[in-house]
Amino acid sequence: MKQGYDFFTDVYDVVRQIPAGRATSYGAIAAYLGSKRGARMVGWAMSSGYTEHGLPAHRVVNKQGELSARHLFETPTTMQERLESEGVEVKDGRIQHWEKYFWDPEKELS
DNA sequence: CGGCTGACGAAAA
DNA sequence: CTTTTCGCCAGCC
C-alpha cells in the first residue's frame, strides 16, 4: 500500500508496476488510490510527468480499453505499436479482449 | 478566491 | 449509436 505520498507519486508508483502485455484503466488506479471518481486526476498526473518519470503510459487506457492518450505520444501510433509489441491486441485505437488484458491494481497488487 | 481545464466514468436523455 | 450532465480534485490563470 503506497500512501502518504502525493497523488502523483501514487499514480506513478502503480503505473510502474503494470506488467508488460497488460493494461489498466485510469478509473481502476483512481479507485485503488481511494478516489474512484478521480480518474481524471490520474491521467492528468501522468500527462504532467509520465515522460519525466519514464512511465509505461501506453499500458494505461480508459475503462473501455481505448487508447485515449495516443495523441500525446510522439506519434498517434506509438502507443498502439508499443502495446502490440508487448503482445496486446490493438485495433483502431482500442484493445481487443480488454477484459483479458485488464490489470486491476486492487486485485493484482492488493 | 473564482473560474476553467483535463489521458475519466457513469448515468441520463 | 450520440450528446449532455454531473461528479471528482489538483493545477493554473
Side-chain angles (χ1 to χ4, degrees), chain A residues 30-87:
Chain A
Y32 174 69
L33 298 181
S35 304
K36 63 184 194 175
R37 305 295 168 169
R40 317 169 81 177
M41 274 74 269
V42 176
W44 171 54
M46 293 174 64
S47 70
S48 230
Y50 86 92
T51 216
E52 302 173 43
H53 292 258
L55 299 174
H58 56 283
R59 294 186 194 143
V60 184
V61 297
N62 66 19
K63 209 57 187 293
Q64 295 176 46
E66 297 172 7
L67 283 53
S68 49
R70 58 189 176 177
H71 67 94
L72 300 180
F73 285 71
E74 301 171 40
T75 72
T77 57
T78 303
M79 195 172 183
Q80 177 171 332
E81 286 176 29
R82 232 166 147 184
L83 282 169
E84 294 180 319
S85 183
E86 297 182 345

